[in-house]
């Protein structure tokens, strides 16, 4: 029997007295993909950070390659033991190039001088393994989120680790990139490496996973052979009950036109070309398409995040000018962005400060923030959205990924909205919390708000929206009635390059 690459037993970890892990066990064998599953805040990332030396455990035993690991393992030691981690939140330096990021702190030098040429060549090799045809001397800030994620993956691969932790690697990837990543995972497996795989996209597990371990509320629930279980069983182990309905669609009779976008163009990113559409009160309008279709650019332009746009926006029949996000907010057009860490949150501020940030007028008087009102409003939102946090004073960076997403949503729900735009609203959100987010979206719909959703998950588009606009290459290629279409038709229009 081969020695376990990782064996963790009786792991305990608390943050400020609140338990995040209690008596958790986990092991990883050579040549396997072992999925670690659980709801948002279940403790998955915390356990991985303990294994990779980012956090120290309070108690419990950890063995790497059969050797008992001292208590104060640090990230450098973990790396030298062959542990590589692709973190859930991107950790790249945006102002450095791809190559500089991949080899950060491990630069190629010749007599003390940086050898950029060699570094670029080496980077190119790793980019190639992932089928990426991009130049390694491009700055990371110029890449879309999905490519940044791929660079993060290259970085870990370049460390030649034999224990590779992937914390939600696919949440921002396109279908093709996922395909390429899975091929690489297959090769790593053949090479006898072990992969710990965390994902909320349960459908993709069957493509790569050998075993699954489920955590719930910081406790170990069960480890199963993937071939001997099914998604329903896994989901009920994760949430502690059976979920009946994944998409709680509601019927609301559609009201008047709230938003009219006419001949709208924006030069940013992949660009948006002469796009026109209407949005009605009480309607959920989905924007489908492959990544890079221009959907994010469109919603950024409509909500004032990108400038130099052309065309007309009418709100409730009146022509409006939206030059910046403040204009949009004033008009009641809110956007929950795709990249929450960069555009949606101040992670060094508290949950309460983040959630009330756009609503200071509501919680202050004579320019002074009324703390009791701030905490009342925040607590309401925490309850409504079931945000898992020890207190509203918790720093946002300490919340689990999915709970951070709920904070971004909560920010806008405080205000009187006309139009709410969600860009990938359930990315990184667990199955049960997804339903909570859908219920929030339904609540907006019920209140006559026009909702736009950009989503790459077709089941979500089909399950929740009333109409679907399909985009490709910055243009609209189809407008479909959700109840009368299907995945194949949407994909057909999503690949209609003109
Ligand atoms: N540095 C920290 N300080 C305080 N609390 C923390 C810290 N890191 C994690 N926690 C808490 O520990 C719990 C487990 O969080 P963790 O990030 O491990 O969850 P997760 O399973 O990865 O969730 P998700 O699927 O949302 O990423 C959460 O309640 C979180 O708020
Ligand atoms: Mg996590």
């Amino acid at each position: 029997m081969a020695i376990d690459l990782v064996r963790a037993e009786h792991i305990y970890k608390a943050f400020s007295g609140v338990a995040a892990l209690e008596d958790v066990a986990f092991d990883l064998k050579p040549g396997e993909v072992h999925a670690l599953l659980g709801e948002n805040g279940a403790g998955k990332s915390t356990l991985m950070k303990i294994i990779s030396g980012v956090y120290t455990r309070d108690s419990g035993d950890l063995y790497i390659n059969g050797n008992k690991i001292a208590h104060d393992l640090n990230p450098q030691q973990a790396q030298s033991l062959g542990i590589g981690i692709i973190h859930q939140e991107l950790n790249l330096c945006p102002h450095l190039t791809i190559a500089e990021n991949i080899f950060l702190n491990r630069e190629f030098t010749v007599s003390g001088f940086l050898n950029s040429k060699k570094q670029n060549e080496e980077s190119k090799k790793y980019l190639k393994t992932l089928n990426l045809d991009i130049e390694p001397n491009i700055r990371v800030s110029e890449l879309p989120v999905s490519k940044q994620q791929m660079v993060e993956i290259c970085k870990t691969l370049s460390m030649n680790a034999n224990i590779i932790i992937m914390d939600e690697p696919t949440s921002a990837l396109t279908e093709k990139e996922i395909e390429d990543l899975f091929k690489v995972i297959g090769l790593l497996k053949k090479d006898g490496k072990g992969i710990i795989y965390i994902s909320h996209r349960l459908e993709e597990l069957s493509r790569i996973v050998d075993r699954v371990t489920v955590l719930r509320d910081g406790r170990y629930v069960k480890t199963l052979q993937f071939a001997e279980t099914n998604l329903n069983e896994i989901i009920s182990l994760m949430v502690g009950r059976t979920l009946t309905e994944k998409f709680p669609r509601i019927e609301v009779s559609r009201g008047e036109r709230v938003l009219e976008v006419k001949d709208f163009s924006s030069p940013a990113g992949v660009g948006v070309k002469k796009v026109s559409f209407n949005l009605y009160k009480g309607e959920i309008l989905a924007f489908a398409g492959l990544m890079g279709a221009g959907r994010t650019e469109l919603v950024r332009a409509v909500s004032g995040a990108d400038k130099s746009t052309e065309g007309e926006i009418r709100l409730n029949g009146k022509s409006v000018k939206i030059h910046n996000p403040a204009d949009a907010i004033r008009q009641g057009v809110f956007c929950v962005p795709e990249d929450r860490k960069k555009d949606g949150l101040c992670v060094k501020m508290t949950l309460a400060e983040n959630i009330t940030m756009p609503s200071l007028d509501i919680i202050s008087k004579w320019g002074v923030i009324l703390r009791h009102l701030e905490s009342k409003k925040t607590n309401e939102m925490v309850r409504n959205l079931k945000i898992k946090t020890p207190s509203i004073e918790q720093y946002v960076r300490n919340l689990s990924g999915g709970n951070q997403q709920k904070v971004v949503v909560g920010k806008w729900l405080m205000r009187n909205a006309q139009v709410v735009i969600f860009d990938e609203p359930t990315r990184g959100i667990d199955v049960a919390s997804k339903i909570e987010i859908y219920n929030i979206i339904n609540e907006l719909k019920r209140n006559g708000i026009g909702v736009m959703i950009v989503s790459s998950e077709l089941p979500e588009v089909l399950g929740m929206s009333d109409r679907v606009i399909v985009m490709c290459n910055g243009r609209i290629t189809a407008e479909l009635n959700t109840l009368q279409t299907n995945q194949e038709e949407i994909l057909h229009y999503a690949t209609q390059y003109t």
Side-chain angles (χ1 to χ4, degrees):
M1 229 354 236
I3 297 171
D4 290 344
L5 296 175
V6 176
R7 170 165 290 280
E9 287 169 349
H10 309 298
I11 302 287
Y12 284 79
K13 175 75 185 172
F15 294 103
S16 333
V18 183
L21 295 174
E22 291 179 76
D23 200 8
V24 168
F26 187 83
D27 69 279
L28 179 70
K29 312 220 176 291
E32 79 162 344
V33 178
H34 190 161
L36 182 61
L37 305 175
E39 289 185 273
N40 297 129
K44 305 178 296 292
S45 296
T46 302
L47 180 62
M48 291 307 107
K49 286 178 185 167
I50 286 174
I51 293 175
S52 58
V54 179
Y55 291 160
T56 40
R57 56 196 187 273
D58 295 340
S59 62
D61 298 322
L62 177 62
Y63 302 84
I64 305 292
N65 302 318
N67 302 316
K68 192 161 181 169
I69 298 301
H71 201 254
D72 53 354
L73 177 74
N74 67 36
Q76 286 73 32
Q77 288 163 340
Q79 201 175 310
S80 62
L81 289 170
I83 299 171
I85 179 164
I86 299 162
H87 283 286
Q88 177 172 18
E89 304 295 335
L90 295 172
N91 276 305
L92 301 172
C93 303
H95 55 285
L96 296 182
T97 67
I98 294 175
E100 285 162 354
N101 267 285
I102 293 181
F103 291 103
L104 192 68
N105 284 328
R106 304 178 295 139
E107 287 80 9
F108 280 88
T109 51
V110 188
S111 7
F113 290 100
L114 180 68
N115 184 349
S116 309
K117 188 158 168 276
K118 176 99 172 87
Q119 194 159 285
N120 284 342
E121 276 165 15
E122 279 296 304
S123 301
K124 192 121 200 171
K125 215 169 72 192
Y126 290 106
L127 292 167
K128 264 232 169 77
T129 28
L130 283 167
N131 237 335
L132 286 172
D133 191 18
I134 33 178
E135 287 308 317
N137 56 0
I138 295 179
R139 268 178 219 276
V140 160
S141 59
E142 283 162 36
L143 299 174
V145 183
S146 75
K147 292 284 181 294
Q148 292 187 16
Q149 178 73 60
M150 291 300 259
V151 171
E152 186 95 43
I153 294 168
C154 280
K155 183 173 174 162
T156 305
L157 293 180
S158 75
M159 293 177 185
N160 263 324
N162 67 334
I163 297 161
I164 300 163
I165 301 169
M166 301 189 174
D167 197 347
E168 294 193 41
T170 57
S171 68
L173 299 187
T174 65
E175 188 47 45
K176 181 183 165 297
E177 288 162 341
I178 294 175
E179 203 59 55
D180 292 334
L181 173 66
F182 285 178
K183 274 191 207 132
V184 172
I185 290 180
L187 294 175
L188 294 169
K189 257 175 79 158
K190 266 208 201 107
D191 238 13
K193 307 198 169 186
I195 291 128
I196 306 176
Y197 192 83
I198 298 179
S199 178
H200 289 294
R201 294 184 154 189
L202 302 177
E203 297 78 21
E204 73 191 15
L205 296 179
S206 64
R207 291 158 67 180
I208 46 166
V209 162
D210 300 298
R211 282 194 301 158
V212 296
T213 286
V214 177
L215 299 183
R216 185 164 73 235
D217 290 332
R219 290 170 189 276
Y220 172 86
V221 178
K222 208 170 185 177
T223 300
L224 297 156
Q225 290 290 341
F226 191 77
E228 288 163 15
T229 180
N230 57 58
L231 288 189
N232 284 339
E233 184 185 22
I234 291 173
I235 290 171
S236 56
L237 290 172
M238 280 170 63
V239 302
R241 63 197 144 90
T242 10
L243 290 182
T244 41
E245 202 184 22
K246 274 169 86 185
F247 300 106
R249 167 190 285 285
I250 57 164
E251 291 309 322
V252 169
S253 52
R254 154 174 135 168
E256 290 162 20
R257 186 158 66 192
V258 56
L259 179 75
E260 186 180 356
V261 171
K262 248 172 111 177
D263 285 336
F264 199 75
S265 301
S266 163
V270 297
V272 172
K273 293 148 206 151
K274 292 242 173 221
V275 162
S276 301
F277 66 91
N278 293 318
L279 172 70
Y280 297 85
K281 294 185 174 173
E283 177 187 49
I284 299 179
L285 177 60
F287 287 77
L290 305 179
M291 243 169 266
R295 298 166 303 158
T296 293
E297 283 80 0
L298 175 65
V299 298
R300 281 180 61 89
V302 169
S303 57
D306 286 330
K307 295 188 181 52
S308 7
T309 53
E310 270 170 41
E312 196 184 6
I313 299 181
R314 297 173 83 87
L315 203 62
N316 293 313
K318 275 210 288 287
S319 183
V320 292
K321 293 272 171 268
I322 296 180
H323 295 303
N324 50 48
D327 286 345
I329 293 167
R330 216 169 300 122
Q331 303 286 353
V333 176
F334 305 135
C335 182
V336 179
E338 181 181 24
D339 183 348
R340 59 174 173 256
K341 204 167 153 195
K342 180 161 145 274
D343 303 326
L345 289 170
C346 298
V347 293
K348 291 183 182 154
M349 292 169 81
T350 67
L351 190 163
E353 287 166 336
N354 267 281
I355 255 188
T356 56
M357 197 172 301
S359 309
L360 293 179
D361 52 333
I362 298 176
I363 58 154
S364 57
K365 209 170 176 184
W366 312 117
V368 179
I369 295 175
L370 302 175
R371 294 291 166 192
H372 68 279
L373 213 53
E374 180 188 69
S375 57
K376 178 167 167 272
K377 289 275 176 197
T378 307
N379 276 316
E380 267 172 28
M381 204 49 77
V382 166
R383 254 196 319 278
N384 286 347
L385 298 183
K386 302 202 179 78
I387 298 175
K388 194 173 171 238
T389 177
S391 92
I392 59 169
E393 299 307 324
Q394 177 73 283
Y395 290 109
V396 163
R397 66 160 177 257
N398 292 341
L399 295 180
S400 80
N403 282 298
Q404 290 185 1
Q405 176 73 333
K406 293 187 188 177
V407 174
V408 187
V409 176
K411 250 176 47 170
W412 299 121
L413 297 180
M414 289 229 175
R415 306 221 50 121
N416 260 343
Q418 299 284 330
V419 173
V420 180
I421 306 170
F422 292 90
D423 196 354
E424 303 289 354
T426 59
R427 192 164 94 194
I429 299 231
D430 70 54
V431 265
S433 302
K434 268 186 189 162
I435 297 176
E436 285 163 31
I437 300 266
Y438 296 144
N439 286 333
I440 296 164
I441 293 175
N442 279 342
E443 204 49 43
L444 298 173
K445 180 177 178 181
R446 200 175 280 125
N447 283 301
I449 292 166
V451 180
M452 285 162 57
I453 301 179
V454 171
S455 172
S456 298
E457 293 198 36
L458 286 180
E460 172 171 289
V461 166
L462 291 167
M464 290 303 295
S465 72
D466 299 299
R467 266 189 315 141
V468 189
I469 283 180
V470 189
M471 289 184 72
C472 178
N473 212 9
R475 297 177 200 277
I476 291 180
T477 49
E479 192 184 312
L480 308 163
N481 183 329
T482 306
L483 295 177
Q484 289 161 6
T485 185
N486 54 38
Q487 298 214 12
E488 289 72 36
E489 190 180 24
I490 294 177
L491 278 174
H492 168 74
Y493 288 112
T495 48
Q496 216 166 61
Y497 294 88
T498 49

